[in-house]
Amino acid sequence: MKFYEFIEKLQEINKDKIVLIKSGVFFNSCVCEAKFHKKSNGFRPNKSTENAIAQMETLIQLSNHHIVVDIDIKGFFDNVNHSKLLKQIWTLGIRDKKLICIISAMLKAEIKGIGIPEKGTPQGGILSPLLSNIVLNELDWWIASQWEFFPLEENKRKNKNYYLKNSKLKKCYIVRYADDFKIICKRKSDAEKLFIATKEWLKERLGLEISTEKSKIVNIRKHYSEFLGFKIKVKSKRKKYVIKSCISEKAKAKIKIKCKKAIENIQKSRNSLDEKMNIQKYNSTIIGIHNYYRIATMVCCDLGKIAYEVSRAMYNKLRKRVSRKCNRVNRKGYVYEQYRKKQASTIFIWANNCSAWIYKA
């Protein structure tokens, strides 16, 4: 291939990406956003994991819904039905046939070593998060129609709560972030019925199967329910139940691995500039962890335990490097300059005045 041919091909690829980005922004802002359910929080403007956790905790603590249906969809992004997805896009109000053809071409793009996929959306694709919301939007409204938006006659709408409470309907709410969702109920019998109904509905309507090992019904008075890296439970306090949220065990293990890897990068630094950059990356990693998990009620205890383990790894790997850099090394091997023991956070800060690290423990 000649150079100018390569440039033309590159420009064509970039044009396709620009079209997809613009179409994604258009879908979200103009068409889809108005039709998505209010408890769908994944990849939407002014929505985040904090909103999803807050919605779940509000239902649990204020409405006393203590039975949670945990449903894990098996390989969601790999098993999305293309024809069903395109029909959902059409029924959502997107009637531009050229745009639908572009999306169809993107879904059927050949994958090296695999070939042309018959189902699934490309993970990491520009439109994949939006397409996941479109697929599961139907599920959101189906769950909402069981209780929250159940259609009533006109003469009964004024006293909606009274008629719903005296009916045999299953009181339930859904909270969703992308393909991760929880159905929150008040009674265990309702949760058991909804578990079976949701399993069958996903298989019949969307062609998706659930993981039997990970899917279960949890009573959060006794056990934790995991959601978006948090584990949530209720505990009795002054004749009522209050939320107790912690960092999940999987998330803790990932945090430790990430921090220790960042420490290894500092240890392998070749010069002072490389060293400074790695310390800044380590700082940003720690700040990101703090910002994400700060909403957990037991975050101080969890991060304190992680900080102890990470600080030992830091001491073992960096004590020789710190002793070479600065003479002011105490018996623990840490450099103290300006800062003392203030927080239970493992953070390295670069100090230009003494060309060393300042460690806040």
Side-chain angles (χ1 to χ4, degrees), residues 115-311:
I116 297 167
E118 293 179 1
K119 56 182 181 177
T121 60
Q123 288 196 37
I126 296 163
L127 286 181
S128 290
L130 181 58
L131 296 176
S132 69
N133 278 339
I134 291 168
V135 170
L136 293 174
N137 185 51
E138 204 174 330
L139 173 70
D140 297 338
W141 288 107
W142 178 72
I143 296 290
S145 69
Q146 303 299 310
W147 176 268
E148 201 174 355
F149 294 101
F150 184 80
L152 289 170
E153 295 172 11
E154 286 186 17
N155 60 338
K156 294 181 180 180
R157 283 176 192 172
K158 290 181 181 178
N159 299 319
K160 186 181 177 181
N161 290 330
Y162 171 78
Y163 286 108
L164 287 173
K165 282 177 183 177
N166 292 314
S167 68
K168 293 182 179 180
L169 294 170
K170 298 174 281 297
K171 193 174 183 180
C172 60
Y173 297 90
I174 188 168
V175 177
R176 186 172 66 82
Y177 188 93
D179 63 321
D180 198 356
F181 66 94
K182 304 285 176 190
I183 301 168
I184 301 155
C185 306
K186 203 157 192 172
R187 296 194 293 263
K188 192 180 178 183
S189 58
D190 291 347
E192 286 170 351
K193 289 172 186 174
L194 271 166
F195 181 83
I196 296 162
T198 307
K199 181 183 174 181
E200 289 176 359
W201 190 92
L202 285 168
K203 194 171 184 180
E204 288 173 13
R205 292 296 293 269
L206 303 178
L208 298 169
E209 292 185 0
I210 67 167
S211 174
T212 51
E213 295 171 358
K214 296 178 182 177
S215 302
K216 56 191 174 183
I217 296 164
V218 181
N219 184 348
I220 55 172
R221 291 176 192 169
K222 298 176 182 178
H223 306 287
Y224 283 102
S225 176
E226 291 190 12
F227 188 44
L228 303 173
F230 297 88
K231 55 180 187 178
I232 298 165
K233 194 181 179 182
V234 289
K235 60 176 184 177
S236 60
K237 185 179 181 182
R238 296 175 187 173
K239 297 180 180 180
K240 64 178 182 180
Y241 287 100
V242 295
I243 289 287
K244 181 186 177 183
S245 54
C246 313
I247 302 170
S248 68
E249 297 303 320
K250 286 181 183 177
K252 281 181 189 176
K254 285 178 182 177
I255 288 166
K256 287 172 189 175
I257 291 164
K258 194 181 279 187
C259 290
K260 286 174 183 178
K261 195 174 182 180
I263 291 163
E264 283 177 14
N265 290 337
I266 296 166
Q267 187 186 19
K268 292 172 184 176
S269 300
R270 288 169 290 182
N271 51 52
S272 58
L273 185 64
D274 191 25
E275 189 177 80
K276 185 177 179 178
M277 289 294 290
N278 286 328
I279 289 167
Q280 285 174 349
K281 284 178 185 176
Y282 179 82
N283 283 339
S284 62
T285 302
I286 297 296
I287 291 163
I289 290 163
H290 274 249
N291 288 340
Y292 184 80
Y293 292 105
R294 64 186 174 180
I295 57 174
T297 58
M298 304 299 289
V299 67
C300 189
C301 298
D302 292 336
L303 289 182
K305 290 173 185 176
I306 293 166
Y308 174 77
E309 197 170 319
V310 171
S311 65

